Amino acid sequence: MPRSRSGKIKNEILPQSVEVVDSQNRPLAVVNVLEAHRQSLMHRSVIVLAYSPEGKIYLQKRSQNKKLYPGRWDVSASGHVFFGQSFEKTAINELWNELGIKTDKITEIAKFEASPSTGNEFIKVFIHEKMTTIPNPNPEEVESGYFYSKSELNWLISEFRELLAPALVFLNDQGLLFK
């Protein structure tokens, strides 16, 4: 079972379980997240974008152990909303579990309906601005990380798109990564 940084087992009641939802984001059932993906069932997730005081975005390089997009550059933090959790609580937990950042200072900036372009996930996007904590990536989740300026990220997207996770490219195409 997955463990948090504190060593406690996550979601002791239903580990790795998400609510499958209908097209109106209303709960239908609870299943394992892998099963939700295997069957392309609609469920919920979060994305957190963390920025330095200079306005650079922190991107993580996903661990080689990840099932989806191993070794690719991705958003600062992201994760599934497990059964019994809220979007906001999940976003706060993902910052801690992936980057070692403990904060409750996040702001919702966007939400997306479940569709093939979102992996059939209802997504809420949060930002953590002017991050003063130095990220301490969890090696089980994140290989490394780096703060990118808008021009550096634009170069990555134009020259090395295949090295980026789809969520990062999707949010860039939506104009959400930089103000």
Side-chain angles (χ1 to χ4, degrees), residues 62-78:
R62 294 170 64 84
S63 165
Q64 294 294 333
N65 300 325
K66 299 295 272 185
K67 288 188 181 11
L68 295 174
Y69 313 111
R72 290 197 191 185
W73 287 95
D74 202 356
V75 296
S76 307
S78 63

PDB file of all heavy atoms in Angstrom, residues 62-78:
ATOM      1  N   ARG A  62       8.965  13.556 -13.818  1.00  0.00           N
ATOM      2  CA  ARG A  62       8.315  12.399 -13.213  1.00  0.00           C
ATOM      3  C   ARG A  62       9.312  11.246 -13.013  1.00  0.00           C
ATOM      4  O   ARG A  62      10.196  11.032 -13.835  1.00  0.00           O
ATOM      5  CB  ARG A  62       7.155  11.933 -14.083  1.00  0.00           C
ATOM      6  CG  ARG A  62       6.034  12.950 -14.162  1.00  0.00           C
ATOM      7  CD  ARG A  62       5.002  12.590 -15.200  1.00  0.00           C
ATOM      8  NE  ARG A  62       4.297  11.347 -14.910  1.00  0.00           N
ATOM      9  CZ  ARG A  62       3.236  11.253 -14.113  1.00  0.00           C
ATOM     10  NH1 ARG A  62       2.754  12.337 -13.525  1.00  0.00           N
ATOM     11  NH2 ARG A  62       2.661  10.087 -13.919  1.00  0.00           N
ATOM     12  N   SER A  63       9.115  10.520 -11.922  1.00  0.00           N
ATOM     13  CA  SER A  63       9.945   9.364 -11.630  1.00  0.00           C
ATOM     14  C   SER A  63       9.837   8.335 -12.757  1.00  0.00           C
ATOM     15  O   SER A  63       8.791   8.196 -13.392  1.00  0.00           O
ATOM     16  CB  SER A  63       9.483   8.733 -10.312  1.00  0.00           C
ATOM     17  OG  SER A  63      10.020   7.440 -10.160  1.00  0.00           O
ATOM     18  N   GLN A  64      10.907   7.606 -12.977  1.00  0.00           N
ATOM     19  CA  GLN A  64      10.894   6.519 -13.957  1.00  0.00           C
ATOM     20  C   GLN A  64       9.973   5.380 -13.519  1.00  0.00           C
ATOM     21  O   GLN A  64       9.601   4.530 -14.332  1.00  0.00           O
ATOM     22  CB  GLN A  64      12.314   5.979 -14.173  1.00  0.00           C
ATOM     23  CG  GLN A  64      13.254   6.955 -14.822  1.00  0.00           C
ATOM     24  CD  GLN A  64      12.868   7.291 -16.257  1.00  0.00           C
ATOM     25  OE1 GLN A  64      12.248   6.512 -16.969  1.00  0.00           O
ATOM     26  NE2 GLN A  64      13.231   8.492 -16.684  1.00  0.00           N
ATOM     27  N   ASN A  65       9.576   5.381 -12.241  1.00  0.00           N
ATOM     28  CA  ASN A  65       8.689   4.333 -11.722  1.00  0.00           C
ATOM     29  C   ASN A  65       7.207   4.601 -11.972  1.00  0.00           C
ATOM     30  O   ASN A  65       6.379   3.750 -11.683  1.00  0.00           O
ATOM     31  CB  ASN A  65       8.900   4.158 -10.214  1.00  0.00           C
ATOM     32  CG  ASN A  65      10.317   3.758  -9.886  1.00  0.00           C
ATOM     33  OD1 ASN A  65      10.960   3.027 -10.640  1.00  0.00           O
ATOM     34  ND2 ASN A  65      10.823   4.239  -8.768  1.00  0.00           N
ATOM     35  N   LYS A  66       6.880   5.794 -12.475  1.00  0.00           N
ATOM     36  CA  LYS A  66       5.476   6.142 -12.702  1.00  0.00           C
ATOM     37  C   LYS A  66       4.917   5.298 -13.848  1.00  0.00           C
ATOM     38  O   LYS A  66       5.590   5.039 -14.836  1.00  0.00           O
ATOM     39  CB  LYS A  66       5.327   7.630 -13.032  1.00  0.00           C
ATOM     40  CG  LYS A  66       5.807   8.572 -11.945  1.00  0.00           C
ATOM     41  CD  LYS A  66       4.999   8.476 -10.699  1.00  0.00           C
ATOM     42  CE  LYS A  66       3.823   9.393 -10.758  1.00  0.00           C
ATOM     43  NZ  LYS A  66       3.049   9.435  -9.535  1.00  0.00           N
ATOM     44  N   LYS A  67       3.645   4.893 -13.704  1.00  0.00           N
ATOM     45  CA  LYS A  67       2.994   4.097 -14.749  1.00  0.00           C
ATOM     46  C   LYS A  67       2.709   4.930 -15.990  1.00  0.00           C
ATOM     47  O   LYS A  67       2.853   4.461 -17.106  1.00  0.00           O
ATOM     48  CB  LYS A  67       1.701   3.492 -14.210  1.00  0.00           C
ATOM     49  CG  LYS A  67       1.940   2.365 -13.214  1.00  0.00           C
ATOM     50  CD  LYS A  67       0.660   1.674 -12.857  1.00  0.00           C
ATOM     51  CE  LYS A  67       0.790   0.559 -11.868  1.00  0.00           C
ATOM     52  NZ  LYS A  67       1.962   0.346 -11.152  1.00  0.00           N
ATOM     53  N   LEU A  68       2.280   6.181 -15.793  1.00  0.00           N
ATOM     54  CA  LEU A  68       1.995   7.067 -16.911  1.00  0.00           C
ATOM     55  C   LEU A  68       3.106   8.097 -17.064  1.00  0.00           C
ATOM     56  O   LEU A  68       3.497   8.746 -16.097  1.00  0.00           O
ATOM     57  CB  LEU A  68       0.660   7.791 -16.704  1.00  0.00           C
ATOM     58  CG  LEU A  68      -0.594   6.927 -16.694  1.00  0.00           C
ATOM     59  CD1 LEU A  68      -1.812   7.766 -16.336  1.00  0.00           C
ATOM     60  CD2 LEU A  68      -0.794   6.240 -18.032  1.00  0.00           C
ATOM     61  N   TYR A  69       3.621   8.239 -18.251  1.00  0.00           N
ATOM     62  CA  TYR A  69       4.589   9.268 -18.632  1.00  0.00           C
ATOM     63  C   TYR A  69       5.838   9.303 -17.747  1.00  0.00           C
ATOM     64  O   TYR A  69       6.254  10.369 -17.288  1.00  0.00           O
ATOM     65  CB  TYR A  69       3.917  10.638 -18.690  1.00  0.00           C
ATOM     66  CG  TYR A  69       2.613  10.587 -19.433  1.00  0.00           C
ATOM     67  CD1 TYR A  69       1.398  10.750 -18.775  1.00  0.00           C
ATOM     68  CD2 TYR A  69       2.583  10.314 -20.801  1.00  0.00           C
ATOM     69  CE1 TYR A  69       0.187  10.651 -19.460  1.00  0.00           C
ATOM     70  CE2 TYR A  69       1.380  10.216 -21.482  1.00  0.00           C
ATOM     71  CZ  TYR A  69       0.187  10.390 -20.810  1.00  0.00           C
ATOM     72  OH  TYR A  69      -0.996  10.285 -21.475  1.00  0.00           O
ATOM     73  N   PRO A  70       6.455   8.154 -17.494  1.00  0.00           N
ATOM     74  CA  PRO A  70       7.680   8.150 -16.672  1.00  0.00           C
ATOM     75  C   PRO A  70       8.777   8.977 -17.327  1.00  0.00           C
ATOM     76  O   PRO A  70       8.951   8.964 -18.554  1.00  0.00           O
ATOM     77  CB  PRO A  70       8.062   6.666 -16.614  1.00  0.00           C
ATOM     78  CG  PRO A  70       7.427   6.052 -17.820  1.00  0.00           C
ATOM     79  CD  PRO A  70       6.165   6.832 -18.056  1.00  0.00           C
ATOM     80  N   GLY A  71       9.496   9.742 -16.488  1.00  0.00           N
ATOM     81  CA  GLY A  71      10.626  10.518 -16.955  1.00  0.00           C
ATOM     82  C   GLY A  71      10.286  11.777 -17.730  1.00  0.00           C
ATOM     83  O   GLY A  71      11.188  12.480 -18.179  1.00  0.00           O
ATOM     84  N   ARG A  72       9.023  12.087 -17.880  1.00  0.00           N
ATOM     85  CA  ARG A  72       8.646  13.308 -18.609  1.00  0.00           C
ATOM     86  C   ARG A  72       8.504  14.476 -17.650  1.00  0.00           C
ATOM     87  O   ARG A  72       8.193  14.323 -16.482  1.00  0.00           O
ATOM     88  CB  ARG A  72       7.325  13.108 -19.341  1.00  0.00           C
ATOM     89  CG  ARG A  72       7.429  12.151 -20.513  1.00  0.00           C
ATOM     90  CD  ARG A  72       6.239  12.312 -21.402  1.00  0.00           C
ATOM     91  NE  ARG A  72       6.150  11.269 -22.396  1.00  0.00           N
ATOM     92  CZ  ARG A  72       5.249  11.251 -23.346  1.00  0.00           C
ATOM     93  NH1 ARG A  72       4.339  12.210 -23.425  1.00  0.00           N
ATOM     94  NH2 ARG A  72       5.219  10.285 -24.223  1.00  0.00           N
ATOM     95  N   TRP A  73       8.707  15.690 -18.194  1.00  0.00           N
ATOM     96  CA  TRP A  73       8.494  16.911 -17.416  1.00  0.00           C
ATOM     97  C   TRP A  73       6.997  17.153 -17.311  1.00  0.00           C
ATOM     98  O   TRP A  73       6.250  16.959 -18.272  1.00  0.00           O
ATOM     99  CB  TRP A  73       9.192  18.092 -18.081  1.00  0.00           C
ATOM    100  CG  TRP A  73      10.675  17.997 -17.905  1.00  0.00           C
ATOM    101  CD1 TRP A  73      11.573  17.472 -18.780  1.00  0.00           C
ATOM    102  CD2 TRP A  73      11.415  18.401 -16.762  1.00  0.00           C
ATOM    103  NE1 TRP A  73      12.839  17.529 -18.246  1.00  0.00           N
ATOM    104  CE2 TRP A  73      12.768  18.101 -17.007  1.00  0.00           C
ATOM    105  CE3 TRP A  73      11.071  18.996 -15.549  1.00  0.00           C
ATOM    106  CZ2 TRP A  73      13.780  18.366 -16.096  1.00  0.00           C
ATOM    107  CZ3 TRP A  73      12.081  19.276 -14.636  1.00  0.00           C
ATOM    108  CH2 TRP A  73      13.405  18.960 -14.914  1.00  0.00           C
ATOM    109  N   ASP A  74       6.556  17.579 -16.126  1.00  0.00           N
ATOM    110  CA  ASP A  74       5.128  17.712 -15.843  1.00  0.00           C
ATOM    111  C   ASP A  74       4.878  18.942 -14.980  1.00  0.00           C
ATOM    112  O   ASP A  74       5.811  19.625 -14.562  1.00  0.00           O
ATOM    113  CB  ASP A  74       4.655  16.444 -15.113  1.00  0.00           C
ATOM    114  CG  ASP A  74       3.165  16.195 -15.217  1.00  0.00           C
ATOM    115  OD1 ASP A  74       2.427  17.029 -15.782  1.00  0.00           O
ATOM    116  OD2 ASP A  74       2.718  15.141 -14.722  1.00  0.00           O
ATOM    117  N   VAL A  75       3.612  19.192 -14.705  1.00  0.00           N
ATOM    118  CA  VAL A  75       3.193  20.284 -13.828  1.00  0.00           C
ATOM    119  C   VAL A  75       3.849  20.118 -12.463  1.00  0.00           C
ATOM    120  O   VAL A  75       4.407  19.064 -12.148  1.00  0.00           O
ATOM    121  CB  VAL A  75       1.660  20.337 -13.706  1.00  0.00           C
ATOM    122  CG1 VAL A  75       1.021  20.663 -15.044  1.00  0.00           C
ATOM    123  CG2 VAL A  75       1.107  19.035 -13.149  1.00  0.00           C
ATOM    124  N   SER A  76       3.753  21.134 -11.617  1.00  0.00           N
ATOM    125  CA  SER A  76       4.406  21.103 -10.308  1.00  0.00           C
ATOM    126  C   SER A  76       3.981  19.894  -9.492  1.00  0.00           C
ATOM    127  O   SER A  76       4.812  19.170  -8.941  1.00  0.00           O
ATOM    128  CB  SER A  76       4.092  22.380  -9.533  1.00  0.00           C
ATOM    129  OG  SER A  76       4.394  23.526 -10.291  1.00  0.00           O
ATOM    130  N   ALA A  77       2.680  19.655  -9.396  1.00  0.00           N
ATOM    131  CA  ALA A  77       2.148  18.505  -8.659  1.00  0.00           C
ATOM    132  C   ALA A  77       0.758  18.194  -9.212  1.00  0.00           C
ATOM    133  O   ALA A  77       0.066  19.093  -9.709  1.00  0.00           O
ATOM    134  CB  ALA A  77       2.071  18.806  -7.163  1.00  0.00           C
ATOM    135  N   SER A  78       0.383  16.935  -9.103  1.00  0.00           N
ATOM    136  CA  SER A  78      -0.950  16.542  -9.557  1.00  0.00           C
ATOM    137  C   SER A  78      -1.320  15.220  -8.902  1.00  0.00           C
ATOM    138  O   SER A  78      -0.457  14.505  -8.390  1.00  0.00           O
ATOM    139  CB  SER A  78      -0.994  16.401 -11.081  1.00  0.00           C
ATOM    140  OG  SER A  78      -0.123  15.367 -11.508  1.00  0.00           O
TER     141      SER A  78
END
